[in-house]
Every structure is written in C-alpha cells, then in structure tokens.
Amino acid sequence: MFYRASLQAAAALASLSLVAGCSVFSGSSSDVDQHISVGTTSSPSTLDPAGAWDNSWELMRNVFQTLVSFPTGSTKPEPDAAECTFTDSTSMAYRCTLRDGLEFSDGEKLDAEAVKYSIDRIVAIKAKGGPLGLLGSLDRVETKGDDLVIFHLNKSDATFPFVLATPAMSIVAPKQYPKDKLRTGNSVTGSGPYVLDHYEPHSVAELKRNDSYKGFADRKNDSVTIRYYEKSDAMVTALRGDKIDATYRGLTADEVIGLQGSKEENKGLQLVESVGADIRFLVFNPKDPVAGKRAVREAVARLVDRDSLVAKVYQGTAEPLYSIVPKGIAAHTTSFFDAFGDPDVTKARQVLSDAGITEPVEMTFWYTTDRYGSSTAPEFEEIKRQLEKSGLFKITLKSAPWTTFQEGFNKGDYAVFGRGWFPDFPDPDNFIAPFVGKESATGGMYVNKKITEEILPASRQESDRGAVSKQFAEAQQIMVQDIPLLPLWQGKLYIAAGEDIGGGERALDPQTVMQMWELYRKASW
C-alpha cells in the first residue's frame, strides 16, 4: 500500500495554515469540556459496512474496528483488533491473532467467528455498490479457536492487508447483522472507539466514548457530534457562528480562499491543509448508444479544458489530472495529456467526422448533489459550457442525491456521470482495480481482461510496491486507448476549525478518513 513516493505524500498529511494569528498551544486538559462538534457535507449512504464503498467510511472508522488499521503517520497497516502477518512467501495466507477480551458495544463477544461472519456476509450479500470488489483475491476465511483467523487467498496479493484496513472490512456483531442482507435502521453495533448514541440520516450523528474499546486509537475527546449539511455555505456559517467546532469535506474553493484571509470574520479560525489523493472523473456507459461510441468519448477527452476548470471552479484548491492515478502515488503518469494534448476543437471535430458524426452530439451528464461538495454543480456547468462552446455537443445536466444517484449508475441508467474517489489505500492498485471489472465501484461499466487477469495479478505478487510502476503504466495506457472514464482533477483536503481546536493536523489518516478521536479542545489559547 505505501510505497516511498506515495508515503511521502500520505505521511505528510498536514501542513498547518492558520487563518488568523494562531500560535502553538498546549495539549488538552481534563478541566476542559472535551465534546467536539464537526460539520461535513458528506453524509453516510448506509450504516452497514457490507454495503459501503463510499464516504460512509467516515462514520464507520469511528464506530467499528478492523483487524488492522492506519494510525496517522503509519507506513503500513498496524494492529487494531489483531496482530496479523503473511505466513508464506507467496502472500497467499494471512494470519491474524485477536486481542484478548474484545467485545461489541452490546456486550457480545468479538471472536474469530465474528470476524469470519463479518467478511463472509460481504461476499454473501453482494451489495450493489458495496465493497465486494475489494475481496477479489479472497478464497475463504478459516478460524482456529476463539482468537485465530486465517485468510486463504486464491492468488498472491500483497495488497490484502491494506484491504483489511479499510472500514469496509469492519467487524460487526453477528447477532445484530443478518448474514444474507444489509441491516436496516439507524443503529450500529461495533467495537470501535465510539458508540453511535443517536443518528438521524442526513442530519446528525452523536458519538460517545466506547468504554469497552480495545484498539490503537488514543481518544483525545469524550464525545463527538457530526452534523451533516446539504450545502457548504450553511456549514461555514455554523463554524463562524460557533455552532460547530470544525468542518471536514465539502468546502468550496471560494470558501477555502475566504477562510485563508485575515478578515475580521475569520478571527479565531484556522485552516489545516492536507495532501490530497482524492480525484474526480467522468464515467462513460459503454452500453449507451451515444457514450458507447469511442469517437464520442475521444472528442470529449479532446475538448475538456482542465486548466480552465480548476482555475474557474476550484481556484488553486485542485490541479488538473491526466491519469486515473494521481500525483503522489507511485506509477502516476500523464497518459491522457500525452495522448490527447491540450484542448483542440479541430481535432475533436475530425474524430467525430471520421466516425460519420456530423451533427452536434446530444448527451446527458449526471452528478450527485450531496457527496462531493457544493462545487460539483458549478464544475458540471463549466464542463457543459466548454463542450457546447465547441459546437460539437449539446449537453443536458441532471443531478440526484447520492443514494438515488448511486442506484442509477449501478443500474446503468446514466450515459455519462461524475464520480469522485477517495483512496481506500494510497497504492496505484487502488486507482485501477476499483474501476475495472463487473463488481467495480462505477457499476461494472468497464471490463478489461488484460488488466484484471494479467496486470493486476502480476503486480500483486510484488511485495515491494515501489516496483510495480511498469505494470500500472501499462494499465493506464490501456485506459487511454479505451477511454472508459476521463480524469479531471485531484484536490487538496482542508479542515477548518476554531483556534481552540487541536489535532486537525493528525485527524486525517493515510486513507484520508477522519479520525475524530484526534480532535480536542485546547486548555488555553
């Protein structure tokens, strides 16, 4: 998962940029009320890990446990609920020994059978849009006694420990989670740092300290309220009005720039900037009669002006992306720029003409309204403007809340749609494998056997992840030839917080998932 190039980016997860005259403060104090309130525009789509391959992980990381995890600054998966290691040189048997005395928040024992149950139900349920695609190398799960779990793989996979470290592999209480369907309702039964005390979808999650927790998290607060906002401007207003202590995910470029100034309204606020591996891209439906034509996809690729897009919409808080593997990750290339160069209307027109397309191409582009922040709508307006300015396209924009949007693209209802990706783990594998294959995170839109049956298996035999660049460069080149998707930009992550809030520079783990336990209220400032 972590290779030298990507590690430097992930481990550097934070340069602290203070907005208004902040200084260095002492740590937390038992005399200070250690309740923290955090706002975000990214609400969970599900509370069941077996159905989650999205930003639901933000909440899950804090209320569930995984066998191994990624403490801030770690260079590899570290013990959480268990000590784990490969038992063979071929990376095909991964053995985990559980901590003593683990239990779920309802008092049920967390043992080896609970771990097996949790992983087996992911495979059994096969939730559309769920994390089954992460388990492609898993053959079976074996238990020995109460504390030993052995994962037998069907092929060498040096990335398997990183998969187990994702919140998708959270351990759930067997008595509370059906083995063949997702759990419904607004409750969670886990063994993580916090207990979910109260939850209202798209509104609020109340977390309180889990007194029976045994794991790596060093909790610096007693409880956390997470408030979910539909629009980021309401979130920023809440921050400035002391209604929340910090924000995470969803700030627009204008809001970030506004928070960076020394204006009176920023008094008492700080901004933590983190290295980001989050990316945005368009996905084309190969079964659509229009988007399924390669000439149409290439014309779009030759017209989208990423520099203009990030300048107008993101104002320096993002940068153009010309590969599905972003900068800071091993094997990053500029393959789409190498193939298509700068935006060129003449070349795009010729591509369409050679395919017998002479009339403006009518297409509908879809985006989600509540997953990637308030800048998503302006971003798609800009893409529409660019394509229509060429005279070669007529674009209709449509949008939907994430749950509806996810259902739509998983059913193949959309010709073109926008997706974002926050890495499961910072490895090139995690920017290729999730988008290729029948169980992909993009609804199984793109299948390429060269990638899935040759390149990925070969790369996963290599424990030195810095040595896989050649394989992934080839995979990126294949994706340029097929154009199943079009990378647009990669962004930075920001936590805006009150000056009295500490821990923001450590709150993002190497998977860019928020570790709420790192936040605390300073004793004095």
Side-chain angles (χ1 to χ4, degrees):
M1 166 176 176
F2 279 88
Y3 326 111
R4 293 176 191 261
S6 58
L7 266 183
Q8 291 172 353
L13 263 178
S15 79
L16 185 60
S17 170
L18 298 183
V19 178
C22 295
S23 58
V24 179
F25 302 95
S26 60
S28 59
S29 167
S30 58
D31 297 329
V32 178
D33 176 17
Q34 289 300 336
H35 174 80
I36 304 295
S37 180
V38 179
T40 179
T41 61
S42 182
S43 61
S45 64
T46 177
L47 297 183
D48 191 330
W53 200 353
D54 57 26
N55 285 347
S56 302
W57 288 9
E58 304 293 352
L59 179 58
M60 291 176 184
R61 171 58 76 210
N62 292 277
V63 296
F64 290 108
Q65 248 183 316
T66 47
L67 293 171
V68 291
S69 194
F70 283 101
T72 298
S74 62
T75 61
K76 60 182 180 179
E78 301 288 345
D80 189 357
E83 293 270 359
C84 302
T85 186
F86 277 111
T87 61
D88 63 335
S89 60
T90 60
S91 301
M92 292 186 67
Y94 195 62
R95 179 187 182 112
C96 295
T97 303
L98 294 171
R99 293 177 185 264
D100 293 332
L102 292 174
E103 63 180 47
F104 294 103
S105 56
D106 66 346
E108 183 179 351
K109 183 179 180 181
L110 194 167
D111 57 13
E113 283 299 326
V115 174
K116 174 177 168 58
Y117 183 90
S118 300
I119 303 302
D120 284 349
R121 69 187 294 268
I122 295 174
V123 178
I125 294 172
K126 296 184 174 67
K128 198 68 174 178
L132 178 60
L134 291 171
L135 293 173
S137 62
L138 179 64
D139 180 34
R140 61 188 176 90
V141 184
E142 178 188 8
T143 63
K144 291 186 177 181
D146 286 344
D147 64 349
L148 183 59
V149 184
I150 303 173
F151 296 90
H152 297 277
L153 308 184
N154 52 36
K155 52 195 170 187
S156 297
D157 187 0
T159 71
F160 188 74
F162 312 131
V163 170
L164 285 184
T166 67
M169 304 301 141
S170 294
I171 309 167
V172 301
K175 292 181 181 179
Q176 301 295 334
Y177 288 80
K179 67 179 181 180
D180 55 359
K181 62 181 179 180
L182 296 178
R183 178 178 176 176
T184 57
N186 297 326
S187 299
V188 159
T189 310
S191 60
Y194 299 97
V195 173
L196 182 61
D197 194 43
H198 176 70
Y199 179 73
E200 295 179 26
H202 310 293
S203 178
V204 65
E206 297 284 357
L207 311 183
K208 67 177 183 180
R209 181 183 287 249
N210 180 4
D211 292 333
S212 63
Y213 169 69
K214 294 183 178 181
F216 77 92
D218 178 13
R219 292 163 294 185
K220 297 178 174 63
N221 58 62
D222 298 319
S223 58
V224 178
T225 297
I226 305 174
R227 299 199 178 277
Y228 301 108
Y229 294 87
E230 183 176 349
K231 300 292 183 181
S232 59
D233 57 351
M235 181 173 67
V236 173
T237 297
L239 177 68
R240 287 185 167 135
D242 293 327
K243 303 297 184 184
I244 57 175
D245 299 310
T247 71
Y248 177 56
R249 292 213 193 279
L251 292 174
T252 66
D254 285 338
E255 287 161 350
V256 170
I257 291 171
L259 287 164
Q260 287 174 335
S262 57
K263 303 174 184 177
E264 180 63 25
E265 63 183 353
N266 291 330
K267 185 177 181 180
L269 298 180
Q270 60 173 308
L271 194 70
V272 179
E273 177 183 311
S274 300
V275 175
D278 58 312
I279 64 174
R280 299 292 186 275
F281 53 95
L282 296 178
V283 182
F284 298 99
N285 185 345
K287 295 182 180 179
D288 183 80
V290 179
K293 298 177 181 179
R294 188 191 181 283
V296 171
R297 302 195 299 273
E298 181 176 338
V300 174
R302 289 188 178 277
L303 290 173
V304 171
D305 187 338
R306 296 167 177 82
D307 288 326
S308 177
L309 178 66
V310 299
K312 290 184 177 181
V313 180
Y314 293 100
Q315 304 176 57
T317 62
E319 58 183 315
L321 181 64
Y322 295 97
S323 165
I324 197 63
V325 179
K327 288 183 179 179
I329 302 296
H332 167 73
T333 71
T334 56
S335 51
F336 274 82
F337 182 83
D338 298 340
F340 305 123
D342 291 320
D344 192 318
V345 175
T346 300
K347 289 182 179 179
R349 181 180 292 109
Q350 187 62 51
V351 167
L352 292 174
S353 177
D354 290 346
I357 302 172
T358 57
E359 297 294 324
V361 178
E362 296 187 13
M363 304 179 77
T364 298
F365 283 28
W366 282 83
Y367 63 90
T368 182
T369 57
D370 58 352
R371 180 57 46 176
Y372 306 125
S374 301
S375 295
T376 305
E379 174 182 341
F380 273 77
E381 289 287 353
E382 173 61 15
I383 293 173
K384 169 183 167 72
R385 185 195 69 79
Q386 292 180 7
L387 294 178
E388 292 188 339
K389 182 180 179 181
S390 71
L392 302 176
F393 287 89
K394 184 176 181 181
I395 305 299
T396 298
L397 297 181
K398 292 187 177 182
S399 61
W402 174 253
T403 301
T404 303
F405 177 77
Q406 188 179 38
E407 291 175 355
F409 74 69
N410 278 321
K411 290 191 297 184
D413 291 346
Y414 307 153
V416 184
F417 59 93
R419 273 291 326 243
W421 188 250
F422 301 94
D424 305 324
F425 47 88
D427 183 286
D429 185 289
N430 196 235
F431 290 92
I432 299 290
F435 313 127
V436 182
K438 295 179 180 179
E439 302 295 336
S440 75
T442 52
M445 292 288 178
Y446 177 58
V447 178
N448 185 289
K449 291 185 177 181
K450 173 69 174 178
I451 295 176
T452 58
E453 296 180 8
E454 296 182 32
I455 294 176
L456 291 176
S459 70
R460 288 170 178 171
Q461 295 180 30
E462 181 56 69
S463 58
D464 178 5
R465 302 306 294 165
V468 298
S469 293
K470 184 177 180 180
Q471 291 102 318
F472 284 105
E474 182 181 4
Q476 291 171 80
Q477 191 58 43
I478 291 172
M479 297 181 83
V480 167
Q481 294 167 2
D482 295 345
I483 323 178
L485 47 78
L486 185 68
L488 297 171
W489 56 267
Q490 72 178 92
K492 302 173 184 177
L493 296 176
Y494 297 89
I495 296 175
E499 231 176 11
D500 62 329
I501 301 300
E505 70 281 1
R506 291 186 54 81
L508 301 179
D509 73 4
Q511 296 166 303
T512 68
V513 172
M514 190 74 155
Q515 300 179 140
M516 297 296 178
W517 58 83
E518 292 286 358
L519 299 176
Y520 62 91
R521 197 174 305 279
K522 298 171 184 174
S524 62
W525 56 282

